[in-house]
Amino acid sequence: MVRRKLVAVVSVAAVTGALTIAVAGVANGAPAVAWSPCTEEILQRFDCATVKVPMDYSHPDGEQISIAISRSKATEPQRRRGVLFTNPGGPGGTGRDLLYNYLDTPLSKMYDIIGIDVRGLGASTPLNCEVPVTPDPWSSTRPADTEFPRITEYEKQWEEGCVRGGGPFRHHVTTPNTARDLDRVRAALGEEKINYLGVSYGTWLGAVYGQLFPHRLDRSVLDSSLDPGTTWHDQAYDVVDTTKANFDKWAVWTARRDSTFHLGDTPGKVRAAVDDIAGRLAAGPVGGIENQSQFDMMIGQFTRFRQVWASLAKNLQKVQAELPLPTGDPALAESNRRAAAAATRLTEQATTENGVYRTILCDWAWPADLNSYYRDMRQVRDTVPFGSTVPQMAPNNCFFHQGDREPLPVIGKARYPKGLVLAAEGDTQTPLVNGQAMAKTLGSSLIAVRGEGQHGQYAAGGGDPDIPVKRNPCVDDKVNAYLIDGKLPPRRTDCDSVNRPAAIPTDPKPGIEDLIADLGNIAEQLLHAVLPRPAR
C-alpha cells in the first residue's frame, strides 16, 4: 500500500501567474473524505463522498461548492499503488459511474479508481441553464440557407438562458477550475500524487491538470484525445475530414465487391448511388427510411464502424432497387427502421447537451464572423452531410458569449512522467490527428489504432461474441503494462482494429449475401456495445 502523507497547504500559480490557489490540507494525516456506501441504485457497488472546494479560486475562503466523487477500492490492497482519477469527457459527462468501465480490468486490483462529477454536474453543485422557448431548429441534417438565422437565434437563446440560470457560478465553471478541483480532491484523499485516465474532453482536462500541477501527476493515459494546440471550433474541421475519410474508405471497399453489392464498381459510382437514395428521400420515405436526416445519420455512423460496412451496403442495394418501383419489402423496411433508430441514438450518445457543455466550450475563442459559419455550413451540407457534420460547423451559444474568461494554459512538453495517448483512425469525435498532436506536444507515447471507428480505445467492447465491438488486446495490454508496471510502449505504436469489415470476397461466391448480418440487428448490437455501461 502506498503510504499516505501529511499534505501541507500548497500554493499553485495559475497559467498567467496572476492567480494563487490555496489547496486545503489534511489534518493529522487523516483523509478529509468521509466515504460511505453510495445510495443511488446505479452506484451501489461503490463508495461515495463529497469534497468542498471554492467556487472562486481567487477567493478560496469565499463561497464553497460540492464535488461528488465515487470510489472502487483496489481489490488487492497489498499491491495498491495509489488512486486513478477518471473522467469520461463531454465536456459535461457525469463521472461517478465511469468506474464500471474499468472494474473487469487489472487496474481494479491495484488502484482505488475514483469517479468525479465535475463542478456543475450530477450530484455536484449544479450549473443550470434555462432552455430556449423556441423549438429546436435542427429538423434536418441539411438545413436550407433560410434556416441558418433560426439556428443562430436558437443558440443566442441558449446563451441568454445560461447567463440567467447559471448566475455568478457560471463564470467559474472552466477547465482550469475543474483541474483545481481535482487537486483539491487529491489533497482531501491524502494522496501525494494521482494517476489519471481521461477520455475525449477528459484528455484536455488531464493535460491542463498536468500543466498546472505537474508535481502532482504520476502516470497518465489520454484516451481519444483532443488537440491541445487549437480551438474546439477548429477541431470540428478534423471531424468533417474524418467523416469523409470513413465514407471514402467504405466506398472503395464496397466498389471492390460490386459483384455482391451492385452499388457501383468505382467509389464515385457508389457515392452516386448514395446520392440517388438521398435525393429520393427528399421526396418521401423509401425502404423503411423516413427522410434524408435518418439516412445521413445511418451513413455517418455505419461507415464509421467497419464491422457494419457489409450490412449497410447490402441494405442500400435493396433500397436502390426500390427507387424506380417500390415493392414495400417489409423485412427491408423493418431492418432499416431499426438501423435508423440505432444511428440516431448513436449520434445523440456522442452529443452532450447541458449547462456545463455550453459553458466549458466558451473557454476557447470562437470566430466572430457569422458569415464564416454559414459558408462552412453550406460547404459541408453540399459535400459531406453525413452524421452531424453540419451542426459541427454552425454557430453555437459561445458566439454570443460575453465577459472575461481566464486564459487557457498553454500546453507544453510534460513536466511529469511521460504518459500515453490513444487515438483511432476512424473516430469522428476525436480524430486521429488530434491525438497525434497531443502526443507530440506532451512528448508522450502514442498508440494509433488503424481501421477503428470506436471512440474510447481502452477496455472498449467486451468478450461476448454476439457483440460487434471487441476488446483490442494490442491496446489493452500496453495500457495495462504502463499503468501497472510503468512500461511505456515506443514513441508510436500502431495497432490494427479487431473490429474489421465482414470477410466478403472481391469475387462473387454463391450464397455470400445470406451470411451478411442484418443491418437492424447489428446496429442495435453496436448501440448496446457503445452505450455507457450503466445505460445498457
Side-chain angles (χ1 to χ4, degrees):
M1 179 179 290
V2 175
R3 183 172 61 89
R4 296 192 174 192
K5 182 179 179 181
L6 175 65
V7 180
V9 175
V10 180
S11 294
V12 181
V15 63
T16 60
L19 180 63
T20 300
I21 312 303
V23 179
V26 178
N28 301 320
V33 173
W35 292 107
S36 61
C38 299
T39 57
E40 296 100 320
E41 182 177 357
I42 199 173
L43 299 172
Q44 284 186 355
R45 297 183 63 174
F46 310 129
D47 300 320
C48 283
T50 59
V51 175
K52 293 293 186 181
V53 302
M55 181 178 78
D56 179 358
Y57 275 94
S58 65
H59 298 90
D61 296 325
E63 182 176 350
Q64 304 291 295
I65 61 173
S66 296
I67 303 299
I69 62 177
S70 63
R71 176 183 67 177
S72 175
K73 293 186 69 174
T75 59
E76 297 182 6
Q78 71 278 9
R79 299 176 62 204
R80 181 185 182 274
R81 72 167 315 275
V83 292
L84 179 69
F85 279 28
T86 61
N87 183 275
T94 55
R96 291 186 304 157
D97 58 356
L98 183 62
L99 307 188
Y100 281 105
N101 284 31
Y102 310 119
L103 288 184
D104 60 352
T105 72
L107 306 183
S108 65
K109 298 178 181 179
M110 296 182 58
Y111 287 101
D112 286 356
I113 305 178
I114 307 297
I116 304 173
D117 287 351
V118 299
R119 60 169 56 204
L121 281 175
S124 296
T125 300
L127 174 67
N128 298 311
C129 284
E130 295 179 10
V131 178
V133 295
T134 58
D136 188 334
W138 286 100
S139 58
S140 171
T141 52
R142 308 183 187 199
D145 286 16
T146 54
E147 294 297 303
F148 292 178
R150 289 185 60 236
I151 292 169
T152 304
E153 174 60 27
Y154 183 72
E155 294 300 319
K156 182 180 180 183
Q157 291 183 20
W158 260 114
E159 179 61 20
E160 292 170 346
C162 285
V163 169
R164 289 192 300 269
F169 181 34
R170 187 173 187 242
H171 179 73
H172 302 290
V173 177
T174 67
T175 301
N177 279 343
T178 301
R180 293 174 185 122
D181 294 344
L182 298 187
D183 206 59
R184 284 278 178 143
V185 173
R186 175 203 60 77
L189 291 175
E191 299 288 341
E192 187 173 355
K193 293 189 177 187
I194 68 167
N195 304 276
Y196 185 83
L197 173 52
V199 184
S200 196
Y201 162 80
T203 63
W204 168 245
L205 174 61
V208 170
Y209 181 85
Q211 189 70 31
L212 296 181
F213 302 97
H215 57 301
R216 297 302 187 188
L217 183 57
D218 188 8
R219 297 173 187 172
S220 62
V221 175
L222 306 182
D223 186 351
S224 303
S225 183
L226 297 184
D227 181 343
T230 190
T231 66
W232 187 278
H233 172 268
D234 285 354
Q235 289 177 78
Y237 295 109
D238 300 326
V239 170
V240 174
D241 290 344
T242 303
T243 301
K244 182 179 184 300
N246 286 340
F247 180 91
D248 290 346
K249 288 179 173 67
W250 170 78
V252 168
W253 184 88
T254 301
R256 288 175 179 167
R257 293 157 180 80
D258 186 52
S259 54
T260 297
F261 298 117
H262 311 294
L263 289 172
D265 58 5
T266 68
K269 290 179 181 178
V270 173
R271 174 62 193 257
V274 168
D275 289 342
D276 284 346
I277 296 172
R280 172 65 177 79
L281 285 164
V286 62
I289 306 171
E290 291 296 320
N291 50 49
Q292 276 186 340
S293 294
Q294 279 192 353
F295 185 66
D296 287 341
M297 296 287 189
M298 292 171 66
I299 296 296
Q301 290 295 341
F302 301 145
T303 57
R304 167 183 173 177
F305 293 100
R306 275 61 171 166
Q307 57 270 51
V308 193
W309 277 6
S311 302
L312 175 65
K314 177 182 176 180
N315 272 30
L316 293 189
Q317 170 202 355
K318 293 182 178 181
V319 172
Q320 186 186 44
E322 288 209 353
L323 295 184
L325 185 64
T327 62
D329 180 346
L332 174 65
E334 177 63 11
S335 178
N336 282 332
R337 182 195 64 76
R338 293 166 61 196
T344 298
R345 284 200 66 192
L346 283 167
T347 303
E348 292 171 348
Q349 186 271 333
T351 305
T352 307
E353 184 62 280
N354 56 38
V356 170
Y357 177 84
R358 288 186 170 274
T359 298
I360 290 290
L361 259 59
C362 301
D363 281 352
W364 287 272
W366 288 79
D369 178 11
L370 189 59
N371 287 324
S372 69
Y373 295 95
Y374 291 172
R375 285 193 299 269
D376 289 341
M377 291 171 73
R378 290 187 194 98
Q379 181 179 2
V380 171
R381 177 194 63 197
D382 297 340
T383 56
V384 195
F386 311 127
S388 58
T389 51
V390 180
Q392 291 279 346
M393 297 290 101
N396 71 0
N397 65 287
C398 296
F399 176 79
F400 299 98
H401 183 75
Q402 297 180 352
D404 295 334
R405 301 282 282 182
E406 178 186 351
L408 289 173
V410 177
I411 306 301
K413 187 172 182 179
R415 293 174 291 144
Y416 46 88
K418 188 176 179 181
L420 187 56
V421 174
L422 316 179
E425 178 186 31
D427 180 1
T428 55
Q429 292 167 248
T430 50
L432 173 61
V433 292
N434 299 165
Q436 291 170 331
M438 179 69 86
K440 181 178 180 180
T441 299
L442 295 178
S444 298
S445 292
L446 172 69
I447 297 178
V449 188
R450 294 179 293 223
E452 180 59 71
Q454 172 74 13
H455 181 62
Q457 303 309 307
Y458 177 67
D464 186 342
D466 294 327
I467 299 298
V469 177
K470 313 301 181 195
R471 288 196 172 179
N472 193 323
C474 178
V475 174
D476 288 3
D477 291 350
K478 291 174 175 59
V479 173
N480 291 333
Y482 167 62
L483 285 176
I484 294 173
D485 300 317
K487 297 178 181 178
L488 267 173
R491 185 65 178 267
R492 171 158 179 157
T493 300
D494 289 291
C495 292
D496 288 320
S497 171
V498 295
N499 300 303
R500 300 183 180 91
I504 307 300
T506 54
D507 57 317
K509 294 188 180 296
I512 191 68
E513 288 187 35
D514 296 335
L515 301 179
I516 298 173
D518 175 77
L519 180 61
N521 284 340
I522 196 170
E524 290 177 345
Q525 292 169 352
L526 178 67
L527 175 65
H528 178 79
V530 170
L531 281 177
R533 296 189 186 183
R536 294 177 184 174

